[in-house]
Amino acid sequence: MTRRLLWAAAGALSIVGLSLSAQSVPEIRYDAAADALSLPSYGEVAGVATNSRGHVFVYARTGHAAATLGDERTFYHGGSRLFEFDQTGKFVKEIGQGVYAINFAQQVRVDPQDNIWIVDAGSNQIVKFDSDGRYLMVLGRKPENIPLRAGPGVSATVADAEFLSKNAAPQAGRGGGEGGGGRGRGTPGAGINGDGFNRPSDVTWDRAGNVYVADGFGSNNRIAKFTKDGDFVKTWGHTGSGAGEFNQIRGLVSDAAGNLYAADAGNKRIQVFDGEGTLKSEIRNIGTPQALCITGGSTQYLFSSNSNTSESMDNGEIYKLQTSGQVVGKFGRAGRLAKEFGMTNALDCRTDTNLWVGEVWNWRAQKVTLMK
Amino acid sequence: MLRRFIAVHVVLVPLIFALPAYSQNVAGPAKAKATSPEIPFDSVPNFFKMPAGLYMGEGTGIATNSKGHVFVFTRSGETRLFEFDQTGAFVKEFGVGSYGFAFAHAVRVDKDDNVWAVDEGTNVIQKFSPDGKLLMILGKRPDPLEQLAQTPGGGQYSGANRPYTFHRQTDIGWDPQGNIFVSDGYGDSRVVKFDKNGRFIKAVGTRGNGPLQFSTPHAIAVDAKGLVYVADRGNSRIVVLDNDLNQKAVYDTVGAPWAVCISQGAHQYLYTSNSFPTGNNFDQAPITGEVYKMELDGTVLGHFGKAGHAFKEFSSIHQMDCRNPDELYVAEITAWRAQKLILRPQAGRQTSAR
């Protein structure tokens, strides 16, 4: 009886606590155009970004990753497409058809010179295209294949499946694996000799053009820094929950002063670093940060999505923050309808009133306008 | 005589129980075949006109809208969704190159003429507007690279029972309020209910042959009162659930239901196809291939059709549309075709009265 009362009291307290914290974040009124873009073929919108002319780039998981069976290996290609739309939402063109790295779309970003960068978590590569879609640079190396133990004529067993689920993903992340010929001689990956990205999630730049890669939501859990020419500079972070450690970096942006904001999703925080990897602060109480964007202008704002998982319609709201970490307000919730957000994976915000939200669940990019 | 009867039974009974699902059909025709009248019918020759260079594959899904347009969901080189008008002329293709098309299973049209494509290769259900615009997604396609790495052993029963992802789901239906019911499927054995906005309400069912258990729930239909009819294929029965997914009744005299549909109008009928086993070759016609017409309460009114590859025969009907109870469309998985059927139940009644 006493215990039951205690539980009831604890429940009441936690409800009060929740509603207080919810009330303390103002709701931002907003509109959303769910059909602002019409994709040439339908698929999960992993990345959305605008350039300085208002063109919109969408990196989507559409079509199918195709597997080619070798004698004991499976080679794979395709499965995603990069589309460009003009400022009115009209489809302009496709970029990178058949490109080796285009596999499992993760993110697209546009740099200050209007170059287009795609981040692909299937090929573990970052590719830089110029504004006309010609390609300029590639970081990381695609794993040559997915090894399959069950060869032709060998009946697959549960043990095989277990082996593969334990071994295939890390192996695929190791810049080529056995027989790859890429160890230590290919384009630099995350920095350690012969190592590559493992499920990279995002890319950003400082004013000098240095490149920072969030690497990522596989096993690496680090940030890699390169010069503007793609030469490796340094890497920091590893798996963990302590200061400067990561558990799935899902987003990475940089402000005008060169500070980096890393969405450390598994630790429910954004960690702020300078360009040398020195931890400056951390931001909490914004749920599980996944997609990030940062505005231009003299006062910059940060937006961070507390995206729902594939098994719930909880959360889904997007926070507006000052770069100090102070929460300004929030908007939206998880769902399948227009103006709701389903597994937000990308945010673009050149200003703090006009945003693009890319959704994995709802296969669309919504154009969002925030009211003042 | 009696001794011989017992001896035969002693041998046969264990065999029958050793092969559930399979045995009922192999052992003989569905019970209702002998006790219900045959309904005369015709098939409309060459109803569907394919444009040059376009081919049908396995006919897995078929549905009509309120204007009589027909939607065919087929496994060709790629899985594709075609629209034909009421004369069978080709109109357009839906969702070309979509991430949600890999292995067609069923297509249904809701009361607002939206077209829902159920794809069991991607675990995704796509809702299209009548003009082909994507309106809503249910489910989530597993990230393809993870899937590729786990290919061996994939697709087995998992019983994972997750709220927002399916495992080779098979069909979809709606009640008058717009709530969504999904039969799910090969990898799970359950029925999932969502509200009209796609928000999860509840799921029932595990694998088995007891109450609220299913063995490959292969199709689903909802009547005007909101009752849910589940084609429990592997258990050779139709399970009727109320709107909150409590079990109400079982109909087990009509063979292994691959496809079920419910007609519209004040008096609704339930149709079910006994399409077991796959192939439906002519030599199996005595035991499989026929379609039953039923009252919603399970009373069998009649049957028609038989297994075979010829015109007016059925090669494993995989989905049926019966918006009009006397004008059915059937898609056949092993004949790579769809047929338009005209039923003449009145003629049948006169015949049997004579």
Side-chain angles (χ1 to χ4, degrees):
Chain A
M1 182 65 181
T2 320
R3 184 173 293 172
R4 194 175 293 171
L5 274 175
L6 276 172
W7 278 115
L13 277 174
S14 67
I15 288 163
V16 170
L18 277 173
S19 61
L20 277 178
S21 65
Q23 274 168 9
S24 62
V25 179
E27 285 290 334
I28 303 172
R29 289 188 306 121
Y30 71 107
D31 273 336
D35 53 359
L37 304 178
S38 183
L39 266 56
S41 63
Y42 296 123
E44 297 179 347
V45 172
V48 60
T50 59
N51 72 8
S52 64
R53 293 181 296 148
H55 279 216
V56 187
F57 300 86
V58 171
Y59 195 25
R61 300 164 191 164
T62 179
H64 311 290
T68 307
L69 298 176
D71 62 344
E72 57 188 14
R73 300 180 295 170
T74 298
F75 310 97
Y76 57 96
H77 63 276
S80 294
R81 295 171 77 181
L82 175 60
F83 302 121
E84 178 179 355
F85 302 85
D86 71 11
Q87 56 276 22
T88 68
K90 192 168 141 265
F91 176 68
V92 176
K93 67 173 188 282
E94 180 171 356
I95 297 169
Q97 295 94 321
V99 160
Y100 188 61
I102 289 189
N103 205 194
F104 187 65
Q106 180 56 33
Q107 201 53 268
V108 58
R109 296 283 191 180
V110 176
D111 72 16
Q113 292 75 43
D114 275 351
N115 300 303
I116 306 144
W117 299 64
I118 56 164
V119 181
D120 194 289
S123 64
N124 293 323
Q125 290 191 303
I126 320 291
V127 183
K128 175 187 183 183
F129 297 94
D130 72 13
S131 54
D132 294 322
R134 278 185 296 266
Y135 96 149
L136 297 177
M137 186 158 74
V138 56
L139 295 175
R141 185 161 186 258
K142 179 177 173 175
E144 290 191 350
N145 60 80
I146 290 174
L148 288 176
R149 275 178 78 218
V154 179
S155 62
T157 63
V158 173
D160 278 331
E162 281 172 3
F163 170 85
L164 286 166
S165 67
K166 277 186 198 133
N167 294 282
Q171 210 160 332
R174 247 180 260 133
E178 290 172 42
R183 295 184 72 83
R185 294 193 295 278
T187 310
I192 294 169
N193 198 20
D195 242 339
F197 303 124
N198 190 341
R199 305 282 158 98
S201 58
D202 212 345
V203 62
T204 192
W205 316 268
D206 62 22
R207 275 190 168 167
N210 292 308
V211 183
Y212 302 87
V213 173
D215 178 31
F217 58 102
S219 54
N220 285 348
N221 281 312
R222 57 189 165 185
I223 294 171
K225 179 179 182 177
F226 303 86
T227 68
K228 65 177 172 23
D229 299 319
D231 295 333
F232 173 71
V233 178
K234 70 193 304 186
T235 179
W236 68 86
H238 54 264
T239 304
S241 57
E245 298 176 333
F246 302 106
N247 181 1
Q248 298 208 1
I249 316 173
R250 289 272 172 176
L252 184 67
V253 294
S254 56
D255 67 17
N259 297 309
L260 298 163
Y261 301 80
D264 182 12
N267 293 321
K268 295 182 176 294
R269 65 185 178 187
I270 295 172
Q271 297 198 76
V272 187
F273 300 90
D274 69 16
E276 297 307 313
T278 307
L279 181 65
K280 298 182 74 171
S281 63
E282 69 171 35
I283 302 168
R284 286 187 177 272
N285 299 318
I286 47 170
T288 301
Q290 303 236 32
L292 298 181
C293 67
I294 195 163
T295 67
S298 52
T299 305
Q300 292 186 288
Y301 291 97
L302 185 67
F303 288 89
S304 173
S305 77
N306 180 25
S307 309
N308 63 305
T309 68
S310 62
E311 296 302 343
S312 89
M313 278 201 197
D314 299 334
N315 308 318
E317 75 279 11
I318 296 168
Y319 290 90
K320 178 181 182 182
L321 303 129
Q322 294 173 353
T323 50
S324 65
Q326 180 71 39
V327 176
V328 178
K330 66 180 170 64
F331 62 94
R333 63 165 190 171
R336 296 290 197 180
L337 304 179
K339 226 185 144 174
E340 294 179 333
F341 304 119
M343 292 184 74
T344 298
N345 198 67
L347 292 172
D348 176 90
C349 54
R350 290 198 168 249
T351 70
D352 69 339
T353 51
N354 296 303
L355 281 78
W356 284 93
V357 179
E359 298 164 76
V360 163
W361 239 28
N362 294 329
W363 296 16
R364 67 187 177 197
Q366 290 195 82
K367 188 176 188 175
V368 171
T369 309
L370 303 187
M371 322 283 188
K372 288 283 179 178
Chain B
M1 180 66 180
L2 183 64
R3 188 171 295 164
R4 186 183 290 172
F5 179 81
I6 290 168
V8 167
H9 257 68
V10 167
V11 175
L12 277 186
V13 165
L15 273 178
I16 287 168
F17 281 97
L19 303 163
Y22 208 85
S23 59
Q24 291 183 26
N25 288 284
V26 173
K31 284 181 206 147
K33 191 168 182 188
T35 58
S36 65
E38 192 149 347
I39 302 171
F41 76 105
D42 289 310
S43 181
V44 179
N46 300 314
F47 178 77
F48 295 96
K49 287 104 190 161
M50 298 295 283
L54 208 56
Y55 296 88
M56 279 273 288
E58 293 187 336
T60 51
I62 193 158
T64 61
N65 72 9
S66 65
K67 290 187 287 181
H69 282 215
V70 190
F71 300 85
V72 176
F73 198 21
T74 177
R75 299 171 187 159
S76 195
E78 301 282 341
T79 273
R80 301 170 82 166
L81 177 55
F82 300 130
E83 177 182 359
F84 301 86
D85 71 12
Q86 61 277 19
T87 70
F90 182 82
V91 178
K92 65 173 183 282
E93 182 171 358
F94 277 57
V96 178
S98 171
Y99 193 61
F101 286 162
F103 206 57
H105 200 267
V107 60
R108 296 275 188 183
V109 177
D110 68 20
K111 64 177 165 44
D112 302 314
D113 276 351
N114 299 305
V115 181
W116 299 64
V118 180
D119 187 282
E120 63 125 323
T122 59
N123 293 349
V124 164
I125 297 174
Q126 296 172 84
K127 175 188 182 183
F128 296 101
S129 69
D131 58 358
K133 215 179 102 194
L134 184 65
L135 295 180
M136 191 191 273
I137 297 294
L138 293 177
K140 166 92 176 66
R141 182 172 177 167
D143 294 353
L145 299 182
E146 314 275 3
Q147 280 300 100
L148 196 54
Q150 294 177 37
T151 296
Q156 302 301 311
Y157 174 68
S158 67
N161 195 20
R162 295 161 299 193
Y164 287 104
T165 49
F166 306 122
H167 194 173
R168 300 185 61 199
Q169 80 287 0
T170 53
D171 203 359
I172 189 168
W174 309 269
D175 67 15
Q177 288 72 45
N179 292 309
I180 300 164
F181 298 84
V182 175
S183 49
D184 177 32
Y186 294 93
D188 271 310
S189 283
R190 61 179 188 155
V191 174
V192 196
K193 180 181 181 181
F194 302 93
D195 73 10
K196 66 180 194 301
N197 299 327
R199 202 165 280 267
F200 175 82
I201 295 174
K202 85 188 279 193
V204 300
T206 54
R207 176 155 300 189
N209 56 13
L212 278 184
Q213 290 191 315
F214 306 102
S215 173
T216 313
H218 192 258
I220 198 165
V222 186
D223 71 16
K225 292 189 181 123
L227 296 178
V228 181
Y229 300 76
V230 185
D232 186 9
R233 183 174 82 177
N235 290 325
S236 291
R237 64 185 183 184
I238 295 169
V239 177
V240 187
L241 308 175
D242 70 13
N243 200 262
D244 294 321
L245 306 183
N246 304 301
Q247 184 164 322
K248 304 300 283 185
V250 171
Y251 308 153
D252 59 0
T253 63
V254 287
W258 277 44
V260 289
C261 63
I262 293 175
S263 64
Q264 298 200 346
H267 189 143
Q268 295 189 294
Y269 296 99
L270 173 67
Y271 287 86
T272 180
S273 171
N274 178 22
S275 311
F276 189 87
T278 307
N280 270 197
N281 293 314
F282 70 94
D283 59 334
Q284 290 146 358
I287 56 159
T288 185
E290 75 281 10
V291 176
Y292 291 92
K293 179 180 184 180
M294 305 167 80
E295 298 285 4
L296 294 179
D297 68 4
T299 307
V300 179
L301 297 172
H303 68 270
F304 62 91
K306 61 177 183 183
H309 286 245
F311 178 66
K312 225 187 130 176
E313 294 178 336
F314 303 134
S315 291
S316 308
I317 293 175
H318 193 269
Q319 197 178 7
M320 292 187 291
D321 179 275
C322 56
R323 177 181 293 268
N324 176 341
D326 294 328
E327 190 180 296
L328 270 62
Y329 290 88
V330 298
E332 298 158 79
I333 198 164
T334 48
W336 295 11
R337 68 181 178 194
Q339 294 187 70
K340 177 178 182 173
L341 311 176
I342 309 294
L343 272 55
R344 291 181 279 108
Q346 212 57 42
R349 229 165 281 152
Q350 280 158 11
T351 310
S352 58
R354 229 184 287 149

